[in-house]
């Protein structure tokens, strides 16, 4: 055996037709700028007893599952589609259940694994001035198998760039207008998947049997903005509902829209003082995104992409 360069590692994903039916191969190799992926969580206890033996020599395995964080670049044309980011992260089927998919991890000849029955358990989506959009998933899986080398093609497009981001905002029910005051926006989603411990059963296995979604996602976040008007603080103090739309556009290639159609600000730390060479800013303005429409059926966050 020999050591393997990090640049040779590969990670791919593909949607499953159903729970328990692993996808045959990944659609593409996702470019990973940071280390990430799934690994085994083994919950064990060492057996320390009074039995005349001087040292601990036994351990008991209580449970085992697979989870980890994957940093998913927002790449034009790969947000939409049946195996795209939106399908894996936000799409729900019957009974509010999320999409099952398979994760393929290839670390060269030393280690190759396939993780089956995966779901996105939570996510963090960040837009920041001067940076490319950043998306991180926390993913859980129910089973793991050995795998062959990933032979899918790498993705050719570069991720959406900072200069391709535009922001619009408005009071809920009003018409959007351009917003150039935003410096940073972080959106955190929870896909309401039950804890692995809750899915353990007495049945000859120490692995959870399912990853059910108990409801549709909850979404909250925070933003940093320049203080050039009282719009944000007025909305917070009055309890006015707002909305935000972020557009990512690669001309002639794809347009991606992430929208929070109904948000409620629940903190706005606008304070005097500080000194120094700085302008007043509104940092850490927190919010909760709410459902809207009849019976609040419209999701608190939507993400779509159109390809010409």
């Amino acid at each position: 055996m020999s050591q393997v360069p990090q640049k040779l590692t590969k990670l791919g994903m593909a949607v499953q037709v159903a729970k328990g039916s692993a996808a045959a191969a990944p659609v593409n190799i996702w470019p990973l700028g940071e280390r990430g992926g799934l690994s085994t969580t083994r919950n064990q206890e060492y057996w320390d007893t009074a039995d005349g033996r001087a040292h601990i020599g036994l351990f008991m395995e209580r449970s085992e599952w697979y989870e980890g964080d994957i940093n998913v670049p927002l790449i034009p044309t790969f947000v939409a589609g049946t195996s795209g980011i939106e399908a894996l992260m936000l799409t729900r089927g019957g009974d509010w259940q999320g999409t099952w998919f398979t994760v393929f991890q290839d670390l060269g000849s030393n280690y190759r694994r396939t993780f089956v029955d995966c779901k996105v358990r939570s996510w963090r989506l960040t837009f920041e001035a001067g940076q490319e959009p950043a998306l991180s998933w926390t993913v859980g899986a129910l089973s793991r198998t050995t795998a062959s080398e990933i032979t899918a093609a790498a993705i050719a497009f570069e991720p959406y760039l900072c200069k391709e981001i535009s922001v619009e905002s408005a009071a809920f029910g009003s018409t959007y207008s351009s917003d150039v005051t935003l410096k940073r926006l972080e959106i955190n989603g929870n896909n309401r998947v039950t804890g692995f411990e809750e899915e353990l059963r007495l049945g000859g296995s120490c692995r959870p049997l399912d990853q059910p979604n108990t409801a549709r996602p909850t979404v909250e976040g925070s933003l940093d903005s320049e203080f050039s008007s009282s719009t944000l603080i007025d909305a917070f103090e009055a309890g006015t509902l707002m909305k935000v739309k972020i557009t990512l556009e690669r001309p002639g290639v794809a347009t991606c829209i992430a929208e929070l159609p109904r948000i409620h600000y629940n903190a706005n730390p606008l304070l005097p003082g500080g000194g120094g060479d700085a302008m007043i800013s509104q940092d850490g303005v927190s919010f909760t995104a709410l459902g809207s429409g009849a019976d609040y059926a419209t999701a608190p966050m939507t993400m779509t992409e159109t390809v010409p």
Side-chain angles (χ1 to χ4, degrees):
M1 287 189 177
S2 61
Q3 296 189 63
V4 179
Q6 283 189 156
K7 285 179 66 63
L8 284 178
T9 60
K10 304 171 188 175
L11 185 144
M13 296 175 282
V15 170
Q16 298 178 190
V17 295
K19 176 189 172 187
S21 300
V27 179
N28 291 97
I29 298 172
W30 284 90
L32 301 179
E34 301 177 34
R35 295 179 66 183
L38 277 69
S39 59
T40 302
T41 297
R42 302 189 71 185
N43 300 295
Q44 303 167 133
E45 182 173 323
Y46 293 96
W47 207 21
D48 188 6
T49 60
D51 55 7
R53 288 179 282 194
H55 302 103
I56 299 172
L58 299 173
F59 66 91
M60 297 178 293
E61 185 175 351
R62 297 291 178 81
S63 57
E64 177 178 307
W65 55 76
Y66 316 98
E67 60 184 337
D69 296 330
I70 301 175
N71 297 298
V72 185
L74 288 179
I75 298 177
T77 75
F78 286 90
V79 175
T82 56
S83 288
I85 290 171
E86 191 277 334
L88 302 184
M89 187 173 87
L90 294 173
T91 297
R92 297 294 181 91
D95 296 329
W96 301 333
Q97 294 308 297
T99 302
W100 294 107
F101 62 99
T102 302
V103 173
F104 303 83
Q105 293 182 184
D106 185 344
L107 279 75
S109 57
N110 292 345
Y111 186 88
R112 294 186 176 107
R113 295 292 185 268
T114 297
F115 295 88
V116 185
D117 293 335
C118 298
K119 275 189 178 181
V120 176
R121 301 177 69 87
S122 62
W123 75 86
R124 181 178 67 254
L125 176 60
T126 305
F127 301 96
E128 185 169 1
Q131 303 291 330
E132 288 73 40
L135 175 62
S136 176
W137 290 348
T138 295
V139 177
L142 298 180
S143 64
R144 179 200 66 209
T145 64
T146 57
S148 302
E149 180 182 1
I150 295 178
T151 58
I155 295 174
F157 289 124
E158 63 184 357
Y160 283 108
L161 305 175
C162 174
K163 66 181 181 179
E164 296 171 330
I165 303 173
S166 61
V167 180
E168 297 172 278
S169 64
F172 177 69
S174 300
T175 302
Y176 275 118
S177 61
S178 176
D179 186 342
V180 294
T181 65
L182 202 62
K183 297 186 290 184
R184 187 177 189 275
L185 173 64
E186 180 176 302
I187 305 168
N188 297 293
N190 184 336
N191 261 339
R192 309 284 292 275
V193 182
T194 59
F196 282 119
E197 298 93 339
E198 298 176 30
E199 296 305 315
L200 296 171
R201 300 290 186 269
L202 296 173
S205 173
C206 62
R207 296 174 181 170
L209 301 182
D210 204 352
Q211 292 193 86
N213 300 83
T214 62
R216 290 187 179 271
T218 56
V219 179
E220 57 187 15
S222 65
L223 60 86
D224 299 342
S225 175
E226 71 175 39
F227 182 60
S228 54
S229 76
S230 63
T231 300
L232 272 180
I233 190 69
D234 287 346
F236 167 65
E237 292 180 344
T240 301
L241 295 174
M242 302 292 287
K243 61 181 181 179
V244 175
K245 180 166 65 174
I246 302 94
T247 300
L248 313 171
E249 184 174 9
R250 178 75 51 83
V253 178
T255 300
C256 174
I257 295 176
E259 184 173 13
L260 304 170
R262 187 168 176 257
I263 62 176
H264 177 252
Y265 295 119
N266 44 50
N268 193 332
L270 181 62
L271 301 171
D277 297 325
M279 306 300 289
I280 300 173
S281 63
Q282 300 174 102
D283 298 334
V285 179
S286 63
F287 61 84
T288 298
L290 304 172
S292 57
D295 294 326
Y296 309 118
T298 300
M301 172 180 162
T302 61
M303 199 170 188
T304 60
E305 186 178 48
T306 56
V307 179

